[in-house]
Amino acid sequence: MDGDVAWVVQVSDLHISAYHPERADDLARYLGDALRAIRPQLLLVTGDITDAKNRRRTTSRQDEYEWITYKKTIDAIVGRGGIDKSRIFDIRGNHDTYGVPYRGGELDFFSTYSVNSQLERLSIISSILLQARLVPGDRSYLFLGIDDTMSVGIRFPANLFGHPTDRRIEAVKSELQYWANHSGAPITKVVFGHFPMSFTATSENGQRYESVFARQSISAYLCGHLHANHTLKQALQTSILVTYPTDSRSMNMLESRQWSLRNDINVLVFSSQVIRNVSARIFDSHNEFKIVEEIPLQLVASSSDHKPLFHAKWNAENYRSPSPTRYWLQVFVLDSHGAKTSSEQRPFSVEGEVHHTKGGLCQFYHPLSTRERFTFG
């Protein structure tokens, strides 16, 4: 982890198909390149790993060839992207259970070819804790994976919704509470599954996950299931992530209370190209968004995780303001091919003032549970 920042990549609905071999080829190439640039602590694969459809997509059936292709593709991604296989967690989607009469049977290829099966992680609930090793008290991150596919996998088109049980919901609640009680640092909790909440049924006694997530202060629910198509159109594009100053619209009250003035700007730039120039511009919204300062950033060469971190010093005192949205920041990047990329303008407050907006839980898309703990320094 970079201080208290965790890097996680989620992919979903791969739909690897015997009739579309380009999907696996594109996945290995583009995802491998992205992982090599991002260097995440985790890769989450949130279901519908294979397509399990005939050529005309009119009937469904499990195809072992598709699962063998998935296993080979993951091996290629590991080699190309430099991620350890133990950092990959995959879960079932509805396509992965089409026509599977019971878990562990001869048609349940997930139990043979998935990463979780290879590493003997076949529980319905998976807990992964990311925590810093060298800085006690830094924030930890809990990622809780849930498999809500049907225990008896009926065929397409009826198999479309997630089906939690009372026992599973209680186990999720218990697992979230366990880590809240046993973490020695502030903990951010994220849940991932295949089905959006709008495609998840209530349990037999009418329970739903939303109330559990609200009571346990879940920061986000990552899922898949709903998508437009399965074609990867382009390789990794240059992406800009400002890690400091924090966007005043996305800060929470805990961050605000612990705030201290810092005289630096930190930006991560992910790209398949060599980066030639990175600069930040500060705008004053009280003066027609005119530029008040332009600051060049330099690559930090000593990053232990090989992250493409760019850094600059500035005088934060110049931007003190009671308004959390007076000053705005935008980052500009130039690569070796002359291509220019810019981030969105974002407000910031050097004093930790929070811009309050309305919002709620985000959807970004056997033993009952297992726990994994990863430590980084």
Side-chain angles (χ1 to χ4, degrees):
M1 288 166 56
D2 292 331
D4 61 356
V5 177
W7 298 100
V8 176
V9 170
Q10 179 211 4
V11 294
S12 193
D13 295 81
L14 311 180
H15 289 274
I16 289 175
S17 170
Y19 306 105
H20 296 279
E22 73 280 358
R23 292 179 187 171
D25 295 339
D26 288 346
L27 181 68
R29 181 166 66 256
Y30 296 143
L31 181 56
D33 289 348
L35 295 178
R36 190 173 65 251
I38 299 171
R39 305 266 182 177
Q41 274 80 54
L42 295 176
L43 170 61
L44 307 178
V45 184
T46 52
D48 279 4
I49 294 169
T50 64
D51 200 40
K53 293 282 192 71
N54 66 353
R55 185 183 295 275
R56 298 177 61 187
R57 300 184 58 79
T58 55
T59 61
S60 61
R61 80 285 176 270
Q62 294 300 309
D63 187 333
E64 188 173 14
Y65 173 79
E66 293 178 348
W67 285 98
I68 293 172
T69 301
Y70 170 65
K71 182 178 181 298
K72 291 179 178 179
T73 302
I74 288 293
D75 291 341
I77 289 169
V78 167
R80 191 180 184 108
I83 187 171
D84 191 278
K85 187 175 284 190
S86 67
R87 310 286 179 177
I88 304 175
F89 289 77
D90 48 14
I91 59 175
R92 294 177 177 90
N94 53 306
H95 281 245
D96 306 319
T97 63
Y98 281 160
V100 179
Y102 58 92
R103 303 288 172 89
E106 63 179 0
L107 292 178
D108 181 17
F109 296 123
F110 181 93
S111 292
T112 301
Y113 296 105
S114 68
V115 176
N116 275 11
S117 70
Q118 295 171 53
L119 300 179
E120 300 182 348
R121 303 185 305 212
L122 280 174
S123 19
I124 300 299
I125 299 171
S126 297
S127 292
I128 311 117
L129 186 70
L130 300 179
Q131 59 185 166
R133 178 174 58 212
L134 299 179
V135 187
D138 266 1
R139 178 170 297 277
S140 296
Y141 291 85
L142 172 67
F143 290 85
L144 188 73
I146 309 173
D147 179 354
D148 275 323
T149 54
M150 302 178 71
S151 57
V152 177
I154 59 178
R155 293 180 181 275
F156 168 83
N159 188 344
L160 191 61
F161 291 87
H163 293 268
T165 63
D166 286 327
R167 180 171 177 242
R168 190 175 306 146
I169 290 178
E170 288 299 321
V172 168
K173 186 189 308 181
S174 175
E175 195 71 13
L176 291 170
Q177 191 59 52
Y178 171 87
W179 286 112
N181 294 340
H182 289 80
S183 175
I187 186 166
T188 295
K189 291 174 280 190
V190 177
V191 179
F192 63 97
H194 177 67
F195 301 96
M197 291 295 102
S198 57
F199 277 74
T200 302
T202 58
S203 68
E204 54 267 42
N205 287 325
Q207 295 190 75
R208 293 192 60 82
Y209 285 122
E210 289 94 328
S211 59
V212 175
F213 294 169
R215 287 194 297 270
Q216 294 291 332
S217 300
I218 299 303
S219 295
Y221 175 62
L222 312 178
C223 61
H225 195 51
L226 302 179
H227 50 82
N229 57 57
H230 314 119
T231 303
L232 295 172
K233 298 295 185 182
Q234 54 192 5
L236 174 69
Q237 301 297 294
T238 298
S239 300
I240 302 168
L241 180 62
V242 180
T243 62
Y244 187 84
T246 305
D247 190 324
S248 57
R249 299 168 300 183
S250 60
M251 289 177 56
N252 58 43
M253 294 305 297
L254 177 62
E255 289 175 314
S256 180
R257 288 194 297 268
Q258 297 176 340
W259 199 258
S260 60
L261 203 67
R262 290 174 48 178
N263 289 305
D264 60 340
I265 299 177
N266 292 297
V267 176
L268 285 160
V269 181
F270 300 108
S271 180
S272 57
Q273 306 299 326
V274 175
I275 301 302
R276 296 300 188 195
N277 182 269
V278 179
S279 61
R281 294 177 185 173
I282 312 299
F283 302 84
D284 186 351
S285 66
H286 290 190
N287 189 22
E288 301 178 337
F289 276 91
K290 290 183 178 179
I291 300 174
V292 295
E293 187 174 9
E294 183 162 2
I295 305 168
L297 282 78
Q298 301 298 322
L299 178 66
V300 178
S302 60
S303 172
S304 60
D305 286 333
H306 309 288
K307 294 291 192 306
L309 177 65
F310 290 80
H311 170 86
K313 292 291 187 181
W314 67 342
N315 187 356
E317 291 286 346
N318 293 339
Y319 302 108
R320 283 186 177 272
S321 173
S323 169
T325 58
R326 175 174 179 175
Y327 293 108
W328 293 62
L329 179 140
Q330 189 173 21
V331 175
F332 297 83
V333 172
L334 176 69
D335 69 24
S336 57
H337 289 181
K340 299 178 181 179
T341 307
S342 61
S343 67
E344 292 184 353
Q345 287 188 353
R346 51 186 289 177
F348 66 90
S349 169
V350 298
E351 298 164 283
E353 299 295 333
V354 180
H355 178 59
H356 297 284
T357 57
K358 293 182 179 179
L361 178 71
C362 294
Q363 288 192 44
F364 295 100
Y365 323 37
H366 55 233
L368 193 62
S369 64
T370 58
R371 294 173 180 148
E372 301 279 340
R373 185 189 297 260
F374 295 102
T375 304
F376 303 90

